[in-house]
Amino acid sequence: MAKGPNVERADRKDAHDHGGGRGAGLSGQRAELIFAIASGVTYAAGLAAKYLLSAPEWAAIVLFVATYLFGGFFTVRTAIATMRRGRFEVDFLMLVAAVGAAMVGKWAEGSVLLFLFSLGHALEEYAMGRAQRSIEALAELAPSTALVRGSNGEVVESEVDQLAVGDVVVVLPNSRLAADGIVVDGRSAVDESSVTGESIPVEKSPIGDPTAALAGSAPVPEIHRVFAGTTNGSGAMDVLVTSRAKDSTLARVITMVREADTQKSPTQRFIDRFQLFFVPAVLAGVLGVLAFGMFALSEPFADSFYRAMVVLVAASPCALAIATPSAVLAGVARAAQAGVLAKGGGPLETLGRVRSMAFDKTGTLTWGQPRVTDIVPAAEDLREELITTLFAVESYSDHPLATAITRDLAVLVPAGAERTATSVNSVTGRGVTALVDGSPAEVGNHTMFTELEADGVPTAVIRIADGLHQRGRSTMIVRRGGVYLGVVGVMDTPRAEAAPVIARLRALGIDDIVLISGDNQRVADAVAADMGLDAAHGGLLPEDKVTMIGKLGGRDGTAMVGDGVNDAPAMVNSSVGIAMGAGGSAVALETADVALMVDDIGRLPFAVGLSRHTARIIRQNLAFSLLIVAALVPATLIGLPIGPAVFIHEGSTLLVVANALRLLRFRRGAEHEGIDHEPRPLAA
């Protein structure tokens, strides 16, 4: 019945989809189910004619022949397709058994074989279609038309495929977005669950400089960015289109999930190789059973041949062949529903086997944005002057940390206590000097004040700065009018949810969790200690990260989690590369094996948990499939008829598929308990 997923899909496409598409003519799941039911009707009629109505023998045979035609139609087409590819699959074995039964006059037995086989395959296709439809449904999310605002302000309806980068699309309340873009007018909350898996609507507001955002000069914050196929809330918005329909995030996700269905997992590759030897071995074994019955037991040819055909049915590896691809397809579909893109069975299955995990720091375990974490005055009565002086100086500074300082200190400056900085001068590699309300002020590192102060920096200030350094902070000493006001610490702060995620990963069986970062070792140590990581390795170039991945195990059970761009070499050399926040990065989607479509590290335990569960389902399916074969073959050798053998054979395959479909109900929940997604507050 079933076989390796890729050949199966290609064969079924040849047999089903030519000339009419799914459901048209003699194509599709519906037609196969109709033919299976028709074969059941003619089989039942044949039994009635033979045993109940005392009809002529030819009448029953005609009905059984009709069963052969209905039940064998799609099986023959698929078998021909596989033989053209140089393979002999389960369909071929079933046809051999049915033809063999007819050759020895066992028309009823051959009919029940083809009836149950075709019915089982139709039901299996329907069940597998549930997982496939959950993926295909994504393609129906984006509308086919959009309202485009022209340069004269007039709004016209246009096909989505005709949208160009730079067009402005009007998004009405409670409608689906037609394109990826940037909000340029209006405010609303957008349900992005279809793309990112985020269940809570995300607030959106206009961006300040659309031209710069469209040019890609800087990353666009999530609050301004929208995706095709998501659902607008109660507010109307104007959205500047940033990609054509075929290049939208939703389109890329759909394409990659479809392609993922063709990527075999390690287990499936093994099963495919196994079948190359197993099917010929089954045929050889059947010939052996035939020869043994005829020559060793001196049975009539018809009896020995019939027994050999029953053994052929029992040994056919239908459930074994479908055990892995059914679970992989369901797992990939479930991951996509939750905003996790697994690029095929390989990454999905491999992630479930990972025992060590390496994290990049910036943008992965941390927010990727510096924040003021510590304000330590030299004396408590100097706190307000420390804040107002630093805010005044940094308001006119082009220092990389100035934006973070002014942003975080703005709310701490008392009303009416604002100061004015003039004559602001940057001292490269040291800090900034200025006049604040006419008094000289300096903001900089320890080196700057050592060079300025002949008597050295006061011991108390050095002690404060050293303490912050030990905790991974970048420090700025502040002085005004010759008085040291205190020290301010700045750091790319860890995500509040990172530590609970690490704990959850350990609970899932990830034993070795390390940090590998290009940042200095002191900062890496501070972040690792804060999150309870096993080790931290700082000051690493991209090639150094590759070396570190190799030490952790490389492609043997190690995952690398990063941004999918700077960490690409390490990702490629790990067992599984996992990209964060891939919803806004085409590079991340292309680079990673697994992509978290939203910038939420809390999805990682879900991805690992789903992979573990998928691996368990695969093991259960394989064990059950082998057990059925091991039990059926001896049973048929001692006389089990073909009818019960086929029923058990087909029933086991359906049970395997049903077990795999349980993955579609895999729930997120426990992996998010206690995980806070908000940035941690400013430290006093």
Side-chain angles (χ1 to χ4, degrees):
M1 179 167 67
K3 63 195 73 156
N6 302 330
V7 174
E8 170 79 9
R9 296 289 165 81
D11 299 341
R12 287 287 157 184
K13 181 175 179 61
D14 291 342
H16 288 188
D17 294 339
H18 66 82
R22 183 164 293 186
L26 295 179
S27 304
Q29 297 171 3
R30 181 179 300 177
E32 188 166 3
L33 183 59
I34 291 173
F35 271 54
I37 293 173
S39 70
V41 171
T42 54
Y43 171 64
L47 291 180
K50 183 175 183 179
Y51 296 109
L52 299 179
L53 303 179
S54 300
E57 183 177 355
W58 63 264
I61 292 177
V62 167
L63 290 168
F64 289 141
V65 169
T67 303
Y68 267 64
L69 293 176
F70 285 119
F73 182 82
F74 287 103
T75 304
V76 169
R77 295 172 70 176
T78 304
I80 291 174
T82 56
M83 285 189 291
R84 284 176 177 171
R85 299 172 187 272
R87 300 172 66 95
F88 293 93
E89 301 287 355
V90 177
D91 301 83
F92 176 77
L93 298 182
M94 293 296 101
L95 287 174
V96 170
V99 171
M103 288 174 60
V104 295
K106 302 286 187 179
W107 287 98
E109 288 79 356
S111 295
V112 73
L113 165 62
L114 289 177
F115 161 56
L116 292 176
F117 182 72
S118 62
L119 180 63
H121 202 295
L123 294 175
E124 175 201 320
E125 287 285 302
Y126 176 79
M128 290 286 286
R130 282 190 56 197
Q132 189 66 33
R133 285 191 295 273
S134 67
I135 296 172
E136 298 298 334
L138 292 173
E140 302 173 3
L141 292 176
S144 58
T145 61
L147 298 176
V148 181
R149 189 183 299 280
S151 56
N152 59 357
E154 182 182 356
V155 177
V156 296
E157 189 171 19
S158 173
E159 296 290 330
V160 169
D161 292 339
Q162 300 302 315
L163 294 178
V165 175
D167 285 347
V168 176
V169 173
V170 177
V171 183
L172 299 178
N174 304 310
S175 64
R176 288 197 179 275
L177 278 78
D180 284 8
I182 302 166
V183 179
V184 294
D185 188 33
R187 297 175 181 271
S188 188
V190 178
D191 179 359
E192 297 183 338
S193 58
S194 58
V195 174
T196 66
E198 179 58 59
S199 58
I200 300 175
V202 181
E203 295 291 334
K204 302 295 179 182
S205 64
I207 196 167
D209 188 353
T211 303
L214 191 61
S217 57
V220 178
E222 181 184 14
I223 194 170
H224 308 308
R225 190 178 67 222
V226 294
F227 302 113
T230 56
T231 304
N232 187 26
S234 58
M237 298 184 296
D238 281 9
V239 173
L240 182 68
V241 177
T242 57
S243 63
R244 296 181 61 86
K246 64 179 182 179
D247 301 320
S248 71
T249 299
L250 180 63
R252 297 199 306 267
V253 169
I254 293 169
T255 298
M256 291 181 181
V257 172
R258 283 172 176 165
E259 291 175 351
D261 189 29
T262 68
Q263 305 300 314
K264 296 184 181 181
S265 69
T267 300
Q268 186 57 41
R269 289 195 293 269
F270 170 77
I271 294 298
D272 286 350
R273 291 194 299 270
F274 173 73
Q275 285 189 92
L276 291 176
F277 300 98
F278 183 75
V279 172
V282 168
L283 293 174
V286 166
L287 292 176
V289 170
L290 175 62
F292 183 81
M294 291 177 59
F295 301 113
L297 301 180
S298 301
E299 287 182 337
F301 172 78
D303 293 344
S304 295
F305 191 80
Y306 175 71
R307 180 189 292 110
M309 294 302 100
V310 180
V311 171
L312 178 60
V313 171
S316 297
C318 292
L320 183 65
I322 201 66
T324 300
S326 59
V328 166
L329 178 58
V332 168
R334 179 64 188 97
Q337 291 171 353
V340 178
L341 176 60
K343 295 185 181 177
L348 184 66
E349 187 176 340
T350 303
L351 182 59
R353 297 174 177 172
V354 162
R355 289 293 177 267
S356 62
M357 190 170 287
F359 285 87
D360 176 46
K361 180 185 75 69
T362 305
T364 303
L365 292 178
T366 66
W367 288 102
Q369 297 178 350
R371 294 178 180 274
V372 176
T373 56
D374 305 88
I375 301 173
V376 186
E380 191 56 38
D381 60 343
L382 296 176
R383 178 180 175 83
E384 180 178 311
E385 186 177 358
L386 168 62
I387 292 173
T388 55
T389 299
L390 180 59
F391 181 80
V393 173
E394 295 296 343
S395 295
Y396 293 93
S397 172
D398 60 356
H399 189 276
L401 297 179
T403 300
I405 294 170
T406 55
R407 179 196 64 220
D408 294 345
L409 294 187
V411 296
L412 301 179
V413 176
E418 297 87 352
R419 299 179 184 276
T420 302
T422 58
S423 302
V424 178
N425 180 50
S426 176
V427 182
T428 304
R430 300 293 188 269
V432 181
T433 63
L435 293 176
V436 176
D437 290 347
S439 297
E442 300 85 27
V443 177
N445 55 28
H446 182 259
T447 302
M448 174 179 173
F449 286 95
T450 301
E451 295 172 351
L452 292 175
E453 186 67 61
D455 297 332
V457 182
T459 303
V461 174
I462 293 177
R463 187 179 304 113
I464 295 171
D466 287 345
L468 294 179
H469 268 295
Q470 292 300 319
R471 294 162 57 195
R473 273 58 167 170
S474 296
T475 59
M476 283 163 287
I477 300 172
V478 182
R479 185 175 70 173
R480 177 169 176 252
V483 178
Y484 284 89
L485 304 179
V487 184
V488 172
V490 178
M491 185 180 183
D492 179 11
T493 55
R495 296 171 182 262
E497 71 270 26
V501 164
I502 298 300
R504 179 62 182 155
L505 290 173
R506 291 195 187 281
L508 287 169
I510 309 296
D511 301 321
D512 190 12
I513 305 177
V514 303
L515 175 68
I516 57 177
S517 174
D519 212 332
N520 65 67
Q521 186 65 48
R522 173 176 46 78
V523 173
D525 287 338
V527 173
D530 191 51
M531 298 182 185
L533 303 183
D534 295 304
H537 306 279
L540 302 180
L541 297 174
E543 56 267 30
D544 300 324
K545 292 184 179 182
V546 172
T547 302
M548 190 58 61
I549 288 293
K551 293 180 179 179
L552 290 172
R555 293 186 173 274
D556 185 20
T558 299
M560 172 66 194
V561 186
D563 61 11
V565 181
N566 297 329
D567 303 304
M571 285 184 173
V572 171
N573 285 276
S574 63
S575 304
V576 184
I578 304 170
M580 285 280 297
S585 171
V587 176
L589 278 172
E590 296 292 344
T591 303
D593 299 308
V594 176
L596 308 183
M597 298 304 297
V598 68
D599 195 20
D600 176 10
I601 197 174
R603 312 266 169 144
L604 190 55
F606 167 81
V608 174
L610 177 62
S611 299
R612 294 270 201 268
H613 197 50
T614 301
R616 283 196 296 271
I617 292 291
I618 290 174
R619 288 195 297 270
Q620 292 169 7
N621 283 352
L622 292 177
F624 178 70
S625 304
L626 293 172
L627 180 63
I628 290 296
V629 172
L632 264 186
V633 171
T636 55
L637 287 173
I638 61 177
L640 182 70
I642 196 169
V646 173
F647 182 80
I648 296 172
H649 181 272
E650 300 305 309
S652 67
T653 305
L654 293 177
L655 287 175
V656 161
V657 174
N659 189 41
L661 291 181
R662 292 194 299 121
L663 287 167
L664 293 176
R665 299 193 301 272
F666 184 82
R667 299 186 61 183
R668 299 176 63 202
E671 70 275 4
H672 281 289
E673 288 179 3
I675 296 179
D676 177 20
H677 293 75
E678 296 300 321
R680 63 182 55 187
L682 178 72

